[in-house]
Amino acid sequence: MSPEFRKPAFEAKQPPPATPITDNPEQRLEAMYLQIWATNMRDLPFVNSALSVEAVGFRRWQPASTDHSDTDTAAVAGEGGAASPCERSGDWVGAVITPWFINLFVLPGGGNLWSDRRPGQRCHILFPVGPLEFIADHDPTAIVPAYQYCPLFAPPSQFASQAAARAAASAALEAMLMAPTVANPRSGSGGTSPPKPDSARRAFLRRFARP
């Protein structure tokens, strides 16, 4: 089969380089999704009326190094943490709760974790927990124009309260940034072996399937 037959019917245009966000994006994300909730989502049957819009645990994450050998993977190793807005010490990671989803997010903050991608394009980002698949989105008219998200619950129908949803989102975020201890069968000294992207994401999401 010739390569042209494997091309998608539609491919979004490459967006312009994202402007780094210098202050914590939680308020802007909440404003954006509150607007979507009020105008487009409120009356849909699959929303969970027990939940409200909330951004959870956003912080800067600074990779110690980035491996460019695979253009679909941003390799992340090291420690992340909060930083003052003027330091531009990394890109923003956090979670967002809405009545129709709970997702992990990556936003541009001037670090080397972020990469500009077409809307709908998927990429694997290697966090300490392992490589996780994120989906890019870009809307120049939105309050937050560019972001990448990793779906956790969509819809989040299993949560009976905002507190339960917040606990699950916080636990997922902390787990993403915490390196697991994985024995390497090829090493007699019990080293660590990075999991493959698909298996890492499945294992990660299974941990939060029953909050």
Side-chain angles (χ1 to χ4, degrees):
M1 181 181 294
S2 60
E4 59 267 24
F5 290 110
R6 294 195 295 269
K7 292 181 180 178
F10 171 79
E11 185 174 66
K13 293 181 179 180
Q14 179 70 26
T19 301
I21 298 173
T22 57
D23 58 335
N24 191 303
E26 289 184 350
Q27 290 187 350
R28 277 188 272 178
L29 284 166
E30 289 176 353
M32 182 171 74
Y33 284 107
L34 281 170
Q35 184 180 69
I36 295 172
W37 169 237
T39 57
N40 297 326
M41 304 298 295
R42 189 177 293 274
D43 297 326
L44 295 180
F46 56 81
V47 299
N48 184 346
S49 59
L51 303 185
S52 58
V53 172
E54 182 179 355
V56 177
F58 273 82
R59 69 201 71 177
R60 289 185 184 270
W61 178 262
Q62 178 60 49
S65 63
T66 301
D67 181 4
H68 298 288
S69 60
D70 179 355
T71 57
D72 290 330
T73 301
V76 180
E79 297 181 357
S84 64
C86 63
E87 288 178 343
R88 294 183 60 175
S89 60
D91 295 304
W92 296 97
V93 297
V96 174
I97 301 167
T98 74
W100 62 99
F101 71 71
I102 301 175
N103 294 342
L104 297 171
F105 275 70
V106 171
L107 280 74
N112 57 3
L113 176 61
W114 175 265
S115 57
D116 294 301
R117 295 179 181 274
R118 295 179 176 89
Q121 186 176 359
R122 298 169 184 262
C123 65
H124 289 105
I125 301 177
L126 180 57
F127 285 98
V129 73
L132 300 178
E133 184 178 77
F134 280 73
I135 304 169
D137 207 347
H138 181 267
D139 180 355
T141 66
I143 297 174
V144 179
Y147 57 87
Q148 295 168 2
Y149 65 95
C150 175
L152 292 177
F153 305 95
S157 54
Q158 60 268 63
F159 295 99
S161 69
Q162 185 75 9
R166 186 185 306 115
S170 298
L173 179 59
E174 295 304 320
M176 181 178 75
L177 302 179
M178 183 179 298
T181 301
V182 181
N184 186 349
R186 292 176 293 181
S187 173
S189 58
T192 59
S193 178
K196 294 181 179 180
D198 291 342
S199 62
R201 184 174 185 274
R202 286 196 299 267
F204 177 74
L205 296 179
R206 278 199 298 269
R207 298 173 62 177
F208 305 98
R210 290 189 294 271

